[in-house]
Amino acid sequence: MGRLLPRIICISRSRASRSGCVSPNGCSPFRDPAHVSRVSGSGSSRAPRFLGGARTFGSETGGRESIEYDVVVVGAGPAGLSAAIRLKQLCRERDFDLSVCVVEKGAQVGAHVLSGNVFEPRALNELLPDWRNEEAPVDVPVSSDKFWYLTKDRAFALPCPFDNRGNYVISLSQLTRWMGVKAEELGVEIYPGFAAGEVLYDSNDNVVGIGTNDMGISKDGSKKETFQHGVELKGKLTLLAEGCRGSLSEKIISKFNLRRKVQAQNQTYALGIKEVWEIDENKHEPGAVLHTLGWPLDHKTYGGSFLYHMKDRQVSIGLVIALNYQNPYLNPYEEFQKFKHHPAIKSLLEGGTVIQYGARTLNEGGFQSIPYPVFPGGAIVGCSAGFLNVPKIKGTHTAMKSGMLAAEAAFSVLSEGSSMEVYWDFLRKSWIWKELKKSRNYRPAFDYGLLPGLAISGLEHYLFKGRLPFTLKHGKPDHEATNVAKLHTPIEYPRADGILSFDVPTSLHRSNTNHEHDQPAHLRLRDPTIPESVNLPEYAGPESRYCPARVYEYVPDEKGELKLQINAQNCLHCKACDIKDPKQNIEWTVPEGGGGPGYTVM
C-alpha cells in the first residue's frame, strides 16, 4: 500500500497548488505524517486487515489499488456530509466503530455547491443542535419577505406565499465547508479532488463501491508523464449524494428500474443562474428576501428570480428557468442578463460589483418523481433522488434529512444486520414525506401556463392546504418539450453593457472554473452526427444557448459548414446539457478530479 498513499498525497498537493486548498481544514486529505502513518499501516503493498470498523487496503486490481471502508459516500454536499456526520454520531452513541469516507470531485469541499439560499435550519437543528455556538456560517436571519410580479417596466406586489420566519440567508458553499470540518472532527475521511467515475459491482450485481477516474490522460487517450491510476473505494454500503442529476445515480436508477419500482413519474428540472454582488452599503438590507414571477419570461415558461441580501454588503441574485421550456431560441443566460436591467432591480445593483458567477440545475419533480432510493449495496440521498420543495424554493433541509435517515438505516444494517430497505420506510414516516406530499401539485399546475398555475397553486396553498384528493402529473420529459425551431422566432438579446450585464467569458472568469485542458472530453456524444444532422437544422442548435458557459458552439469548418465544437474546459457542471438535449445525445460524465468551478460564496 506504500505506493498508493504517496500518490494520493502528490495528487492532492498538485490540486491544492492549482485550485486552492483541497480540504476544509486548509491542506491535503492526509494532513500530517502521523495521519499518513495511521492510514498506511505497515507501508507494504498489502496492509493487514483491521477489526472494529477500520479501513482495509487491498492489493492492486487491474492497475488500481483499493481501499475498503464500511461506508463510502459520493459527494461532499449537504446530503453526503449529513449522512457521514450522522453515521459517526451513531458510532459514538452506540460505541460501535465504522469507517466512513466521502469522495468529492471538487477541488475542495464546497467548490461545486451552488444554491439560492434561504436556509431552513430544521435538519441542522437535528443534526448539530449546538451549531449556533460553533461558528456555523448561518447568521443572517430573514428580515423581510417580498413577492413581486414583474412586467417590463413595473413591479406589482403580490401576497407572499413564503413563510421564511426563522430562516436564514446563507452561502451554501460556506455552510458545506463548515460541515466538512465537523465531519472530519468526528473521524470522517474526506477526499476532495477525486471524481467518482464508475460504480463497482460484485458477481451478483451488488454495488461494492466506486472507482475514481484515472488522471494524466491526454485528449487522444494516451498516458502523459503525470498518469496515475484511479483508486477503488470499496464499501459494505455506498451512499450516492452527487446532487441534481448525479451521473452515477442516474445509471443506478436506470439499471435497477428504481422509478418503475414505485411508479414514480419522470423527473423535471430547472436551471438556476446566479451572481453574488457587493452593493452600496446604503442599499443593503441584511436578511431582505425578494422573489419575482413574470418578466423577462413569457407566460408559457415557468420560472422566476430571487434576490437575497447576505452579510458584508453582499446580495445573491439569480434567475431560475424550468427546462421544459418550448422555444429553442430561448437563452437562459441572456434572460438573466436582461432581468438585471429591470428598473426595480437595476437601481439596487448600480454602483455594485460582481464577486462570483455560477449555474446549476435543480430537481422540480417533487413528491411524484421520487424514485425508490435503495439499490443492492446502498442508497441514493439528497438531490440525486430529488427532495426539493418547489413552493418553498428549498431543498437543503430535505436533502440533509434524507442523508441523516440513510445514515440511520446504514448503521442498523452494519450493526444489527437489518436491511437497507428501512431507509424507504424512514423516508415515508419522516417530515420530508409530509412536506413534499403537501406541496405535490404546485409545480405541475404551471404546466397549464402562468395564470392557471397561479390560480391552482393559490387554491392548493391557501384553501386546500395540500389536501386535494388527487395528484397532478408532470408533462413530457424536459428534452421532449423543446419545439422545432420553425415554430418560433429567434430572440434578439441586447448586448452586454459591462456594468449590469456581461458576456459569458467575463462571467466564467468569476466562477473560478478550471479544467486540465489536455484530457478526454467529459461531455460525450452518443452519436457524433446528431448535432449537424438533427439539432442544427431542426432545433437551430439549442445547445449553444441552453448551456450557461458556452461549452457548445457551432463554428465553420474549412469548407464553411457549421460543426459543433465542445469547449469542455468551460463546463460549470450544471448538467443542463444532459437534461435538455432534444435527442438525449449528450452524456455528462465526470472530468478529472479537482476540475470545474471553484465557488466560495455561492
Side-chain angles (χ1 to χ4, degrees):
M1 199 56 217
R3 295 190 299 279
L4 173 62
L5 291 171
R7 177 157 64 223
I8 293 178
I9 296 168
C10 176
I11 294 170
S12 299
R13 285 176 179 163
S14 70
R15 298 292 176 197
S17 63
R18 192 178 73 202
S19 306
C21 169
V22 296
S23 170
N25 284 10
C27 44
S28 75
F30 300 100
R31 290 182 298 281
D32 55 71
H35 186 78
V36 172
S37 175
R38 176 171 61 83
V39 171
S40 60
S42 65
S44 65
S45 63
R46 185 176 179 88
R49 292 177 178 269
F50 297 96
L51 302 177
R55 61 209 148 282
T56 305
F57 300 99
S59 59
E60 292 191 11
T61 56
R64 297 192 298 193
E65 305 222 32
S66 65
I67 314 177
E68 294 182 10
Y69 289 86
D70 290 308
V71 181
V72 173
V73 181
V74 180
L81 291 173
S82 294
I85 289 170
R86 186 67 188 126
L87 275 165
K88 282 298 189 178
Q89 288 174 335
L90 289 167
C91 287
R92 290 191 176 188
E93 293 169 9
R94 311 285 175 83
D95 192 25
F96 190 92
D97 192 18
L98 293 174
S99 57
V100 182
C101 83
V102 180
V103 61
E104 164 58 38
K105 64 183 173 66
Q108 61 176 321
V109 173
H112 290 178
V113 174
L114 180 152
S115 178
N117 182 292
V118 174
F119 178 67
E120 182 174 316
R122 183 173 186 176
L124 184 61
N125 290 338
E126 296 179 11
L127 181 66
L128 296 166
D130 202 33
W131 60 266
R132 290 176 179 83
N133 300 320
E134 296 186 12
E135 299 182 346
V138 182
D139 48 17
V140 181
V142 172
S143 59
S144 66
D145 208 355
K146 297 178 182 178
F147 187 41
W148 292 348
Y149 175 78
L150 300 183
T151 62
K152 185 176 180 180
D153 301 309
R154 301 282 300 277
F156 299 91
L158 298 176
C160 187
F162 313 106
D163 183 6
N164 282 311
R165 290 172 296 180
N167 296 335
Y168 295 81
V169 177
I170 70 166
S171 158
L172 190 57
S173 54
Q174 291 178 347
L175 176 62
T176 304
R177 282 196 295 278
W178 177 84
M179 290 178 66
V181 173
K182 294 301 167 186
E184 286 195 319
E185 289 174 354
L186 288 167
V188 177
E189 296 188 14
I190 303 177
Y191 303 134
F194 292 88
E198 66 172 306
V199 180
L200 304 177
Y201 300 93
D202 66 12
S203 58
N204 295 316
D205 251 4
N206 296 309
V207 174
V208 293
I210 59 92
T212 67
N213 278 357
D214 290 342
M215 291 193 270
I217 299 178
S218 306
K219 286 183 178 181
D220 62 8
S222 62
K223 296 178 181 178
K224 296 185 284 189
E225 291 183 2
T226 57
F227 174 79
Q228 301 289 351
H229 277 296
V231 180
E232 293 184 351
L233 295 174
K234 293 186 175 180
K236 296 173 184 174
L237 290 173
T238 302
L239 302 181
L240 298 179
E242 302 171 283
C244 178
R245 195 73 172 197
S247 52
L248 299 186
S249 302
E250 289 299 307
K251 286 182 169 63
I252 289 285
I253 290 171
S254 176
K255 180 180 178 67
F256 295 107
N257 295 314
L258 298 183
R259 292 200 186 281
R260 190 185 310 166
K261 189 167 184 176
V262 289
Q263 288 78 53
Q265 296 177 32
N266 58 278
Q267 185 61 260
T268 185
Y269 302 89
L271 174 63
I273 301 175
K274 175 182 174 181
E275 291 173 345
V276 175
W277 284 64
E278 187 176 272
I279 64 170
D280 189 297
E281 186 171 4
N282 294 326
K283 303 176 183 178
H284 188 236
E285 303 174 32
V289 168
L290 170 67
H291 294 98
T292 78
L293 285 176
W295 190 89
L297 304 180
D298 61 43
H299 284 194
K300 294 182 180 180
T301 304
Y302 178 70
S305 80
F306 62 86
L307 196 155
Y308 308 147
H309 289 244
M310 307 159 74
K311 61 183 178 181
D312 300 328
R313 296 192 292 121
Q314 294 177 2
V315 296
S316 62
I317 180 172
L319 184 66
V320 179
I321 299 178
L323 286 176
N324 66 345
Y325 64 81
Q326 299 175 7
N327 188 347
Y329 291 111
L330 188 144
N331 185 318
Y333 178 87
E334 295 296 347
E335 294 288 336
F336 175 53
Q337 301 308 311
K338 186 164 67 172
F339 161 73
K340 290 180 290 179
H341 285 271
H342 190 280
I345 306 300
K346 177 180 179 180
S347 59
L348 177 73
L349 299 180
E350 283 181 322
T353 304
V354 183
I355 299 172
Q356 206 153 87
Y357 163 81
R360 188 68 169 95
T361 52
L362 52 149
N363 312 88
E364 289 194 338
F367 181 78
Q368 49 269 65
S369 298
I370 298 171
Y372 190 69
V374 180
F375 54 83
I380 303 174
V381 304
C383 288
S384 289
F387 296 112
L388 178 78
N389 184 325
V390 174
K392 272 191 177 183
I393 321 180
K394 294 177 182 63
T396 303
H397 65 302
T398 47
M400 291 176 65
K401 181 63 174 178
S402 73
M404 294 158 63
L405 294 174
E408 290 166 7
F411 186 85
S412 69
V413 170
L414 297 173
S415 65
E416 301 169 6
S418 66
S419 167
M420 198 64 199
E421 310 281 334
V422 298
Y423 171 44
W424 181 237
D425 297 330
F426 290 170
L427 276 172
R428 289 183 296 170
K429 294 175 183 176
S430 72
W431 51 257
I432 294 178
W433 209 253
K434 295 176 183 176
E435 184 174 311
L436 294 184
K437 185 176 182 180
K438 186 177 179 179
S439 62
R440 70 193 183 281
N441 287 326
Y442 183 92
R443 174 63 187 88
F446 283 88
D447 287 343
Y448 300 98
L450 177 61
L451 296 180
L454 284 171
I456 296 170
S457 61
L459 286 171
E460 178 81 314
H461 180 78
Y462 293 107
L463 183 60
F464 294 103
K465 301 185 184 301
R467 293 192 293 267
L468 280 174
F470 55 82
T471 297
L472 294 176
K473 293 185 177 181
H474 296 300
K476 59 184 70 173
D478 294 340
H479 68 279
E480 293 182 8
T482 311
N483 288 338
V484 292
K486 65 183 180 182
L487 299 178
H488 297 271
T489 303
I491 302 173
E492 294 294 330
Y493 290 102
R495 295 176 65 89
D497 65 3
I499 300 172
L500 295 176
S501 51
F502 309 95
D503 58 25
V504 173
T506 299
S507 292
L508 272 177
H509 178 72
R510 292 168 175 152
S511 71
N512 300 317
T513 297
N514 181 37
H515 291 90
E516 173 61 54
H517 282 230
D518 189 16
Q519 64 172 300
H522 65 282
L523 302 157
R524 301 170 184 172
L525 300 178
R526 294 182 172 93
D527 181 345
T529 68
I530 283 181
E532 291 82 17
S533 65
V534 178
N535 285 10
L536 187 60
E538 294 187 20
Y539 298 94
E543 57 270 66
S544 64
R545 288 179 290 276
Y546 60 62
C547 173
R550 199 177 291 171
V551 169
Y552 304 95
E553 288 185 288
Y554 282 92
V555 297
D557 62 11
E558 62 277 2
K559 297 179 181 179
E561 297 178 354
L562 292 176
K563 300 292 183 182
L564 182 66
Q565 175 177 290
I566 299 178
N567 307 310
Q569 68 275 10
N570 290 0
C571 183
L572 290 169
H573 298 205
C574 76
K575 312 289 183 69
C577 57
D578 198 85
I579 297 164
K580 189 60 174 170
D581 183 72
K583 298 303 177 183
Q584 289 293 274
N585 189 47
I586 298 173
E587 180 185 10
W588 194 98
T589 64
V590 290
E592 280 193 4
Y599 301 137
T600 57
V601 293
M602 301 297 266

